[in-house]
Amino acid sequence: MDHKFVMGWGGGPYYTGPRPPYLAALDVLARSLGLILPALIGLLALIILGLVGGAIAAAVTPIVGPLGATAVAAFFDLLGEAVQVLVVYVTAFEVSSVISGGMADLRRAWQLTTSNASSVAPVALVLGLFDALLAFAHFPGTFLLVGLANVVAFIAAGFLANGTVPGIGRTLSWYADYFSLDGVSALILLVVSLLSLIPILDLLTIPYGAALAVAMVRRTP
């Protein structure tokens, strides 16, 4: 069996042989449990946002009524989604470092994320507004739709961690095309994206999803 290695983003080797991305992602997670740390920090931030948002909504309800309270809650949903997107990007940069033979360096990953704010912000804004609008409208199935939409964040983070910025439209078209290359990995990423919204479970699904997205991007020509 021919095992092919090439030089990836960051200067390290990555595997392009028959081992599929969904298994390669498990290898990455097993090699560095420190990848869980960004998700843990994100979970704590979301809990705080939830408490603060709930308290403010309750306080303003007598003044602005239920509609105003709903608007406040929707705004905090936007902030929460932005936190979720940031965590995915930070984790993706950590994954890239691990794949390249380095360590999961949270500080460096955060610096890379913030230095690429012009690429990260549009994804966070679009997904955050999508979440907020659905929440404000009390749209049925909001959790499901937001979870599925978050696959954009994983893929976009996977691209950026590999040194490219395809844009949201190109990201979606790439993901649709990827099903013909490796439908199993593509479908697993979609499920993981949904599960990444579940507290506690997200401590595993976010790092695994980020590792899977990075591996999927690196597999394509």
Side-chain angles (χ1 to χ4, degrees):
M1 181 181 296
D2 180 26
H3 298 277
K4 180 183 178 184
F5 290 83
V6 298
M7 296 305 291
W9 180 86
Y14 64 86
Y15 184 64
T16 60
R19 190 163 177 77
Y22 64 86
L23 292 179
L26 286 176
D27 295 339
V28 173
L29 190 57
R31 281 162 47 194
S32 182
L33 292 178
L35 294 171
I36 294 174
L37 186 56
L40 178 59
I41 295 173
L43 177 59
L44 295 176
L46 289 175
I47 291 174
I48 293 172
L49 281 175
L51 293 174
V52 173
I56 293 177
V60 303
T61 297
I63 303 172
V64 299
L67 186 62
T70 299
V72 171
F75 174 72
F76 275 88
D77 279 348
L78 186 155
L79 294 180
E81 180 62 23
V83 169
Q84 187 85 357
V85 170
L86 282 174
V87 169
V88 170
Y89 272 92
V90 170
T91 308
F93 278 117
E94 284 195 326
V95 165
S96 183
S97 178
V98 172
I99 292 178
S100 299
M103 302 288 291
D105 188 336
L106 178 60
R107 187 173 187 177
R108 180 175 180 273
W110 173 253
Q111 290 173 343
L112 288 170
T113 301
T114 54
S115 66
N116 285 280
S118 61
S119 300
V120 178
V123 177
L125 181 61
V126 169
L127 293 179
L129 287 174
F130 180 69
D131 188 350
L133 289 173
L134 290 179
F136 183 77
H138 295 291
F139 193 85
T142 293
F143 177 86
L144 176 64
L145 292 175
V146 173
L148 296 178
N150 274 353
V151 74
V152 173
F154 282 100
I155 298 170
F159 269 106
L160 187 58
N162 280 293
T164 58
V165 184
I168 294 178
R170 174 59 185 141
T171 295
L172 288 172
S173 63
W174 177 90
Y175 180 59
D177 293 339
Y178 194 88
F179 273 90
S180 62
L181 174 65
D182 181 7
V184 175
S185 292
L187 183 59
I188 289 176
L189 182 61
L190 193 63
V191 173
V192 168
S193 175
L194 175 61
L195 297 179
S196 68
L197 294 185
I198 301 176
I200 307 301
L201 187 59
D202 62 346
L203 298 181
L204 292 176
T205 53
I206 289 179
Y208 176 75
L212 177 55
V214 171
M216 287 168 61
V217 172
R218 290 193 174 210
R219 186 183 183 190
T220 54

Short mmCIF file of all heavy atoms in Angstrom, two decimals, residues 85-119:
data_model
loop_
_atom_site.label_atom_id
_atom_site.label_comp_id
_atom_site.label_asym_id
_atom_site.label_seq_id
_atom_site.Cartn_x
_atom_site.Cartn_y
_atom_site.Cartn_z
N VAL A 85 -18.51 30.34 17.40
CA VAL A 85 -17.69 30.42 16.19
C VAL A 85 -16.22 30.65 16.55
O VAL A 85 -15.31 30.02 15.98
CB VAL A 85 -18.20 31.53 15.26
CG1 VAL A 85 -17.22 31.77 14.11
CG2 VAL A 85 -19.57 31.18 14.71
N LEU A 86 -15.96 31.53 17.49
CA LEU A 86 -14.59 31.79 17.92
C LEU A 86 -13.94 30.53 18.47
O LEU A 86 -12.77 30.24 18.17
CB LEU A 86 -14.58 32.89 18.99
CG LEU A 86 -14.73 34.33 18.52
CD1 LEU A 86 -14.84 35.27 19.71
CD2 LEU A 86 -13.56 34.74 17.64
N VAL A 87 -14.69 29.77 19.25
CA VAL A 87 -14.14 28.54 19.82
C VAL A 87 -13.76 27.56 18.71
O VAL A 87 -12.72 26.90 18.76
CB VAL A 87 -15.17 27.89 20.78
CG1 VAL A 87 -14.75 26.47 21.16
CG2 VAL A 87 -15.33 28.74 22.04
N VAL A 88 -14.60 27.47 17.69
CA VAL A 88 -14.32 26.56 16.58
C VAL A 88 -13.04 26.98 15.86
O VAL A 88 -12.18 26.13 15.54
CB VAL A 88 -15.51 26.54 15.59
CG1 VAL A 88 -15.12 25.80 14.30
CG2 VAL A 88 -16.72 25.88 16.22
N TYR A 89 -12.87 28.27 15.61
CA TYR A 89 -11.67 28.75 14.93
C TYR A 89 -10.42 28.52 15.77
O TYR A 89 -9.39 28.05 15.26
CB TYR A 89 -11.80 30.23 14.60
CG TYR A 89 -12.46 30.51 13.27
CD1 TYR A 89 -13.84 30.70 13.19
CD2 TYR A 89 -11.72 30.58 12.10
CE1 TYR A 89 -14.46 30.96 11.97
CE2 TYR A 89 -12.32 30.84 10.88
CZ TYR A 89 -13.69 31.03 10.83
OH TYR A 89 -14.29 31.27 9.61
N VAL A 90 -10.48 28.86 17.04
CA VAL A 90 -9.32 28.66 17.92
C VAL A 90 -8.94 27.18 17.94
O VAL A 90 -7.75 26.82 17.85
CB VAL A 90 -9.63 29.16 19.34
CG1 VAL A 90 -8.53 28.74 20.31
CG2 VAL A 90 -9.76 30.68 19.35
N THR A 91 -9.94 26.31 18.05
CA THR A 91 -9.67 24.88 18.09
C THR A 91 -9.07 24.39 16.78
O THR A 91 -8.16 23.55 16.78
CB THR A 91 -10.96 24.09 18.40
OG1 THR A 91 -11.58 24.62 19.58
CG2 THR A 91 -10.65 22.61 18.61
N ALA A 92 -9.56 24.92 15.67
CA ALA A 92 -9.02 24.52 14.36
C ALA A 92 -7.55 24.87 14.23
O ALA A 92 -6.75 24.09 13.69
CB ALA A 92 -9.82 25.17 13.24
N PHE A 93 -7.16 26.04 14.72
CA PHE A 93 -5.74 26.42 14.68
C PHE A 93 -4.91 25.50 15.59
O PHE A 93 -3.78 25.15 15.25
CB PHE A 93 -5.56 27.88 15.10
CG PHE A 93 -5.81 28.85 13.99
CD1 PHE A 93 -6.84 29.77 14.07
CD2 PHE A 93 -5.00 28.85 12.86
CE1 PHE A 93 -7.07 30.69 13.04
CE2 PHE A 93 -5.22 29.76 11.82
CZ PHE A 93 -6.26 30.68 11.92
N GLU A 94 -5.47 25.11 16.72
CA GLU A 94 -4.77 24.17 17.59
C GLU A 94 -4.61 22.82 16.88
O GLU A 94 -3.55 22.19 16.96
CB GLU A 94 -5.53 23.98 18.90
CG GLU A 94 -5.40 25.11 19.87
CD GLU A 94 -5.86 24.72 21.26
OE1 GLU A 94 -6.82 23.91 21.37
OE2 GLU A 94 -5.28 25.20 22.24
N VAL A 95 -5.66 22.38 16.22
CA VAL A 95 -5.63 21.12 15.49
C VAL A 95 -4.54 21.15 14.42
O VAL A 95 -3.77 20.19 14.27
CB VAL A 95 -7.00 20.83 14.83
CG1 VAL A 95 -6.87 19.73 13.78
CG2 VAL A 95 -8.02 20.45 15.88
N SER A 96 -4.46 22.24 13.68
CA SER A 96 -3.45 22.36 12.63
C SER A 96 -2.05 22.23 13.21
O SER A 96 -1.17 21.61 12.61
CB SER A 96 -3.60 23.71 11.92
OG SER A 96 -2.69 23.82 10.86
N SER A 97 -1.85 22.81 14.39
CA SER A 97 -0.54 22.72 15.05
C SER A 97 -0.23 21.28 15.44
O SER A 97 0.89 20.80 15.25
CB SER A 97 -0.52 23.62 16.29
OG SER A 97 0.71 23.52 16.97
N VAL A 98 -1.24 20.58 15.96
CA VAL A 98 -1.04 19.18 16.38
C VAL A 98 -0.73 18.31 15.17
O VAL A 98 0.18 17.47 15.20
CB VAL A 98 -2.28 18.66 17.12
CG1 VAL A 98 -2.17 17.15 17.38
CG2 VAL A 98 -2.46 19.39 18.45
N ILE A 99 -1.49 18.49 14.08
CA ILE A 99 -1.26 17.70 12.87
C ILE A 99 0.13 17.95 12.30
O ILE A 99 0.77 17.04 11.75
CB ILE A 99 -2.34 18.04 11.81
CG1 ILE A 99 -3.70 17.53 12.27
CG2 ILE A 99 -1.98 17.41 10.46
CD1 ILE A 99 -4.82 17.86 11.32
N SER A 100 0.62 19.18 12.47
CA SER A 100 1.94 19.53 11.95
C SER A 100 3.06 19.07 12.88
O SER A 100 4.22 19.37 12.63
CB SER A 100 2.04 21.04 11.74
OG SER A 100 1.07 21.47 10.80
N GLY A 101 2.71 18.36 13.94
CA GLY A 101 3.72 17.83 14.85
C GLY A 101 3.98 18.67 16.08
O GLY A 101 4.87 18.36 16.86
N GLY A 102 3.21 19.76 16.26
CA GLY A 102 3.41 20.63 17.41
C GLY A 102 2.46 20.31 18.55
O GLY A 102 1.91 19.22 18.64
N MET A 103 2.26 21.30 19.41
CA MET A 103 1.39 21.16 20.57
C MET A 103 0.13 21.99 20.36
O MET A 103 0.10 22.91 19.55
CB MET A 103 2.12 21.63 21.84
CG MET A 103 3.41 20.89 22.12
SD MET A 103 3.12 19.20 22.70
CE MET A 103 2.42 19.55 24.31
N ALA A 104 -0.89 21.65 21.14
CA ALA A 104 -2.12 22.44 21.13
C ALA A 104 -1.88 23.68 21.98
O ALA A 104 -2.06 23.67 23.20
CB ALA A 104 -3.28 21.63 21.68
N ASP A 105 -1.46 24.76 21.34
CA ASP A 105 -1.08 26.00 22.03
C ASP A 105 -2.26 26.97 21.97
O ASP A 105 -2.50 27.62 20.95
CB ASP A 105 0.16 26.60 21.35
CG ASP A 105 0.74 27.77 22.12
OD1 ASP A 105 -0.02 28.41 22.89
OD2 ASP A 105 1.93 28.05 21.95
N LEU A 106 -2.99 27.09 23.08
CA LEU A 106 -4.17 27.94 23.12
C LEU A 106 -3.83 29.39 22.86
O LEU A 106 -4.54 30.09 22.12
CB LEU A 106 -4.87 27.78 24.47
CG LEU A 106 -6.12 28.65 24.68
CD1 LEU A 106 -7.18 28.35 23.65
CD2 LEU A 106 -6.67 28.45 26.10
N ARG A 107 -2.76 29.86 23.44
CA ARG A 107 -2.38 31.27 23.29
C ARG A 107 -2.09 31.60 21.83
O ARG A 107 -2.57 32.62 21.31
CB ARG A 107 -1.17 31.57 24.16
CG ARG A 107 -0.79 33.04 24.22
CD ARG A 107 0.31 33.26 25.23
NE ARG A 107 0.60 34.66 25.43
CZ ARG A 107 1.48 35.13 26.30
NH1 ARG A 107 2.16 34.28 27.06
NH2 ARG A 107 1.68 36.43 26.42
N ARG A 108 -1.30 30.76 21.17
CA ARG A 108 -0.97 31.00 19.76
C ARG A 108 -2.22 30.89 18.89
O ARG A 108 -2.41 31.68 17.95
CB ARG A 108 0.08 30.00 19.30
CG ARG A 108 0.49 30.18 17.84
CD ARG A 108 1.62 29.25 17.45
NE ARG A 108 2.00 29.43 16.06
CZ ARG A 108 1.43 28.80 15.04
NH1 ARG A 108 0.45 27.94 15.27
NH2 ARG A 108 1.83 29.02 13.80
N ALA A 109 -3.08 29.91 19.19
CA ALA A 109 -4.30 29.73 18.41
C ALA A 109 -5.21 30.95 18.53
O ALA A 109 -5.82 31.39 17.55
CB ALA A 109 -5.04 28.47 18.87
N TRP A 110 -5.29 31.53 19.73
CA TRP A 110 -6.08 32.73 19.92
C TRP A 110 -5.49 33.90 19.14
O TRP A 110 -6.21 34.69 18.54
CB TRP A 110 -6.17 33.06 21.40
CG TRP A 110 -6.83 34.38 21.69
CD1 TRP A 110 -6.24 35.55 22.09
CD2 TRP A 110 -8.24 34.68 21.56
NE1 TRP A 110 -7.18 36.55 22.23
CE2 TRP A 110 -8.41 36.06 21.90
CE3 TRP A 110 -9.35 33.93 21.17
CZ2 TRP A 110 -9.65 36.67 21.88
CZ3 TRP A 110 -10.59 34.55 21.15
CH2 TRP A 110 -10.73 35.90 21.50
N GLN A 111 -4.17 34.02 19.16
CA GLN A 111 -3.51 35.09 18.42
C GLN A 111 -3.76 34.96 16.92
O GLN A 111 -4.01 35.96 16.23
CB GLN A 111 -2.01 35.08 18.70
CG GLN A 111 -1.64 35.51 20.12
CD GLN A 111 -0.16 35.33 20.42
OE1 GLN A 111 0.55 34.60 19.72
NE2 GLN A 111 0.32 35.98 21.47
N LEU A 112 -3.71 33.75 16.42
CA LEU A 112 -3.98 33.52 15.00
C LEU A 112 -5.42 33.85 14.65
O LEU A 112 -5.71 34.40 13.58
CB LEU A 112 -3.66 32.07 14.62
CG LEU A 112 -2.18 31.69 14.58
CD1 LEU A 112 -2.02 30.18 14.44
CD2 LEU A 112 -1.49 32.41 13.42
N THR A 113 -6.33 33.51 15.55
CA THR A 113 -7.75 33.80 15.32
C THR A 113 -8.00 35.29 15.29
O THR A 113 -8.67 35.81 14.37
CB THR A 113 -8.62 33.15 16.41
OG1 THR A 113 -8.40 31.74 16.41
CG2 THR A 113 -10.09 33.42 16.16
N THR A 114 -7.48 36.01 16.25
CA THR A 114 -7.69 37.46 16.30
C THR A 114 -6.97 38.20 15.18
O THR A 114 -7.46 39.21 14.68
CB THR A 114 -7.25 38.03 17.66
OG1 THR A 114 -5.88 37.65 17.93
CG2 THR A 114 -8.13 37.49 18.79
N SER A 115 -5.81 37.68 14.77
CA SER A 115 -5.09 38.32 13.67
C SER A 115 -5.79 38.10 12.33
O SER A 115 -5.51 38.81 11.35
CB SER A 115 -3.65 37.80 13.60
OG SER A 115 -3.62 36.43 13.25
N ASN A 116 -6.69 37.13 12.29
CA ASN A 116 -7.49 36.88 11.09
C ASN A 116 -8.94 37.30 11.31
O ASN A 116 -9.87 36.71 10.73
CB ASN A 116 -7.44 35.39 10.72
CG ASN A 116 -6.12 34.98 10.11
OD1 ASN A 116 -5.87 35.18 8.93
ND2 ASN A 116 -5.25 34.41 10.94
N ALA A 117 -9.13 38.35 12.11
CA ALA A 117 -10.48 38.80 12.46
C ALA A 117 -11.30 39.16 11.23
O ALA A 117 -12.52 38.96 11.20
CB ALA A 117 -10.39 40.00 13.39
N SER A 118 -10.66 39.68 10.19
CA SER A 118 -11.40 40.07 8.98
C SER A 118 -12.01 38.86 8.27
O SER A 118 -12.97 39.01 7.51
CB SER A 118 -10.47 40.81 8.01
OG SER A 118 -9.38 39.99 7.61
N SER A 119 -11.46 37.68 8.52
CA SER A 119 -12.01 36.45 7.94
C SER A 119 -12.99 35.78 8.89
O SER A 119 -13.98 35.16 8.46
CB SER A 119 -10.87 35.47 7.61
OG SER A 119 -9.97 36.04 6.69
#
